[in-house]
Amino acid sequence: MSGAPRHILIAGGGVAGWLIALASARALLPLGTQISVTHDGADESLGSHTLALSTLPGIQDHHHALGIDDIAALRAARGSFKLGESYTGWTTGGTAILPYGDTGADVGPVRFHQQLMRLGTRVRDMDLAAFSLAGSAARLGRFAPPSPDPASILSTLDFGLHLESGGYARHLRDAALKAGATAVEGCVVSAERGADGRLTAAVLDDGRKISADLFIDATGERAALISGVLGVAWESWAVPGLDQIASALADDSASPSPLTRNEAIGAGWQRSMPLYKATASQIIFSSGEMDDDAAVKRLGGNANISAFNPGRRGTPWSANCLAIGAAACIPDPLASAEHHLAASAALRFLKLVPHEGGGVVEAREYCRVFAAETSSARDFTALFYTAQTREETPWKAARTLEPSAELTRHRALFDARGRIPRSEDGLYNEAMWAAAFIAARVEPRDHDPLANGLNEAALKQRCEQVRQLVANTAQRLPAHGDMLAQLHGSRP
């Protein structure tokens, strides 16, 4: 019986390439598999616009599975902590915060937001952050790690990370090389194919050819192998009215907030990701309403600009080539999913490593899970575009974005009684979906009738106790900036 592939070639380093190199080296080198990574120093593996990462809370689990220390990664990547996201200007009702971790407490099957609706609170007036330790701490610029004690309110915290992509990629590279992966200087531009259509050798820009059994395409939007050689089509999730993205990374001495900020403006929206002594920013905008010079000026005078075309490959694992990162999917920045999708892909690959010369069954299962995860990221962002209420031309166009059947189902359930279907994609749990609908100011027609079984006076007292406990605890937490200064020391 044939075993694991003898040689896996990863085309392109960067965050995505070194993630899968690290995962593969740790698991497959003991089986005799050679792991090679071609790289030319550039990192566009997650897209040329991804100068920094704003991650989901699942990054801790991914790091643990890969043997990465969260704090070491944070130090290497000018990192900061992230307790949630804020949305300003998307709808009426002021700034909304989508907090990570627990919000309030469910009563049996009655979700916390249903309890607030039972008390007469409209979604447009709902402030989930006031009942969430993560949300209240984020608002005050404070942070503490979660407690392992379930009796402590600190156990309700959860967090993601803000990471500068270049520093994070170098950290992953060092870890992958230490685990036994091999670095090959050079840029993959094409590949040779056999009579059966499978790739046989990658072709580098200097004419060298490298043979392998399995090829990983981490070349970013260029998709040199999955698109350039195999011709796998791109499914566009383009947002009507928003066709450009500008990205910048600038030094910033201000104390960083543990919050990613998403501010809607007339020509589009701006995203700010605070790092340690730096800020990464993006503007997704309409070229008809804002020219490139204006976008660059808004970001401080120095920015990368490219077309904005989020989407995915229909079959990211085709023949003996697996695409990862932007070669496989470019999620909208609102999804905060770039890291999750790349890390999830790397770890899922290990569960489906094909035997030498095989892979048809494994590729089919891989693509099935990929479709579920990426569809969730697509729908999460489409919710905000279709629910916003701005009247500028780009925003009116954005509201014409056609929601998927799955998002339509989600929206119908929430519109009726504020219900959220069970989510099994791994990106967003039910609490995050509920918080997203509330942040988008989607107003249900009524609440869950089960909430009527709760005593109104007791419920009101209970919610006020939660609010006070959260507020008092948040005030006592350390300042986020002070904690980062201790973790980073004198290094930026």
Side-chain angles (χ1 to χ4, degrees):
M1 179 180 291
S2 57
R6 291 169 296 176
H7 186 198
I8 296 176
L9 179 67
I10 301 169
V15 171
W18 290 114
L19 268 173
I20 198 166
L22 174 59
S24 300
R26 283 168 53 89
L28 298 177
L29 255 66
L31 303 180
T33 301
Q34 178 185 352
I35 311 296
S36 301
V37 184
T38 66
H39 68 106
D40 60 0
D43 181 9
E44 296 188 354
S45 66
L46 296 180
S48 58
H49 59 275
T50 309
L51 303 181
L53 298 167
S54 173
T55 81
L56 297 171
I59 189 172
Q60 297 101 300
D61 294 333
H62 288 145
H63 277 174
H64 177 75
L66 292 165
I68 297 171
D69 180 76
D70 284 333
I71 301 304
L74 181 139
R75 286 172 174 155
R78 307 175 76 174
S80 69
F81 296 100
K82 176 189 174 187
L83 291 172
E85 306 225 5
S86 70
Y87 306 86
T88 302
W90 293 72
T91 65
T92 57
T95 295
I97 292 179
L98 190 160
Y100 290 162
D102 296 341
T103 298
D106 297 340
V107 178
V110 182
R111 303 302 188 192
F112 185 71
H113 70 281
Q114 295 282 1
Q115 299 169 41
L116 295 179
M117 288 193 289
R118 165 74 171 84
L119 295 175
T121 306
R122 304 280 290 174
V123 162
R124 65 171 176 261
D125 302 319
M126 204 172 282
D127 180 16
L128 290 184
F131 302 93
S132 158
L133 184 54
S136 291
R139 185 173 276 158
L140 294 172
R142 298 181 179 274
F143 178 81
S147 169
D149 179 4
S152 169
I153 189 174
L154 289 175
S155 68
T156 66
L157 280 169
D158 205 352
F159 65 92
L161 297 174
H162 297 117
L163 300 168
E164 187 260 316
S165 297
Y168 185 55
R170 289 188 292 273
H171 184 68
L172 294 173
R173 178 182 186 273
D174 291 345
L177 295 178
K178 185 177 181 180
T182 301
V184 179
E185 296 291 336
C187 177
V188 170
V189 294
S190 187
E192 294 181 343
R193 303 174 71 178
D196 60 358
R198 295 166 64 86
L199 306 185
T200 57
V203 180
L204 276 61
D205 52 356
D206 61 3
R208 283 178 293 160
K209 298 177 182 179
I210 303 177
S211 300
D213 304 296
L214 185 65
F215 297 80
I216 309 293
D217 189 342
T219 61
E221 295 146 299
R222 190 164 56 88
L225 302 180
I226 196 72
S227 177
V229 177
L230 295 178
V232 177
W234 183 255
E235 175 189 325
S236 176
W237 299 338
V239 180
L242 301 174
D243 58 347
Q244 294 284 91
I245 183 168
S247 304
L249 180 65
D251 291 339
D252 188 347
S253 60
S255 180
S257 166
L259 200 64
T260 296
R261 301 183 185 279
N262 306 291
E263 179 188 0
I265 57 177
W269 62 279
Q270 182 168 340
R271 184 169 174 87
S272 298
M273 294 164 278
L275 300 163
Y276 180 61
K277 296 188 177 180
T279 296
S281 303
Q282 295 172 314
I283 300 178
I284 292 83
F285 64 100
S286 166
S287 60
E289 301 294 322
M290 176 183 285
D291 61 32
D292 290 357
D293 290 342
V296 170
K297 182 178 180 180
R298 186 177 177 91
L299 292 182
N302 187 22
N304 300 331
I305 296 183
S306 60
F308 180 55
N309 186 25
R312 66 183 174 192
R313 300 283 162 202
T315 51
W317 187 338
S318 297
N320 61 335
C321 177
L322 169 63
I324 188 173
C329 178
I330 301 176
D332 189 291
L334 274 177
S336 293
E338 295 93 343
H339 181 275
H340 186 107
L341 293 176
S344 175
L347 294 170
R348 184 164 68 253
F349 166 69
L350 296 184
K351 298 178 180 179
L352 296 167
V353 173
H355 61 77
E356 187 180 331
V360 173
V361 174
E362 293 86 354
R364 186 182 304 126
E365 174 62 13
Y366 180 96
C367 291
R368 183 191 69 80
V369 179
F370 169 85
E373 286 191 338
T374 54
S375 292
S376 180
R378 174 200 62 201
D379 292 345
F380 193 82
T381 58
L383 166 62
F384 287 93
Y385 286 120
T386 54
Q388 52 79 24
T389 57
R390 296 187 69 100
E391 288 301 314
E392 295 91 344
T393 298
W395 291 106
K396 286 182 178 179
R399 275 198 295 277
T400 68
L401 180 67
E402 187 69 27
S404 69
E406 189 72 358
L407 178 57
T408 300
R409 181 175 69 88
H410 276 52
R411 179 72 189 256
L413 280 168
F414 197 86
D415 281 344
R417 289 185 178 270
R419 293 188 173 109
I420 300 293
R422 182 174 178 81
S423 176
E424 298 180 351
D425 56 68
L427 270 72
Y428 316 103
N429 58 26
E430 293 174 57
M432 284 189 69
W433 270 109
F437 273 101
I438 292 166
R441 306 303 188 196
V442 176
E443 196 73 63
R445 293 187 292 276
D446 205 345
H447 59 259
D448 188 332
L450 291 178
N452 293 330
L454 303 176
N455 179 275
E456 183 174 359
L459 181 60
K460 184 178 295 185
Q461 181 181 27
R462 184 171 177 271
C463 288
E464 179 57 23
Q465 289 173 342
V466 169
R467 189 193 66 77
Q468 290 182 6
L469 177 60
V470 163
N472 292 337
T473 305
Q475 286 283 359
R476 295 195 301 268
L477 297 182
H480 180 231
D482 291 346
M483 178 166 286
L484 290 180
Q486 292 177 4
L487 290 175
H488 284 277
S490 60
R491 297 192 307 170

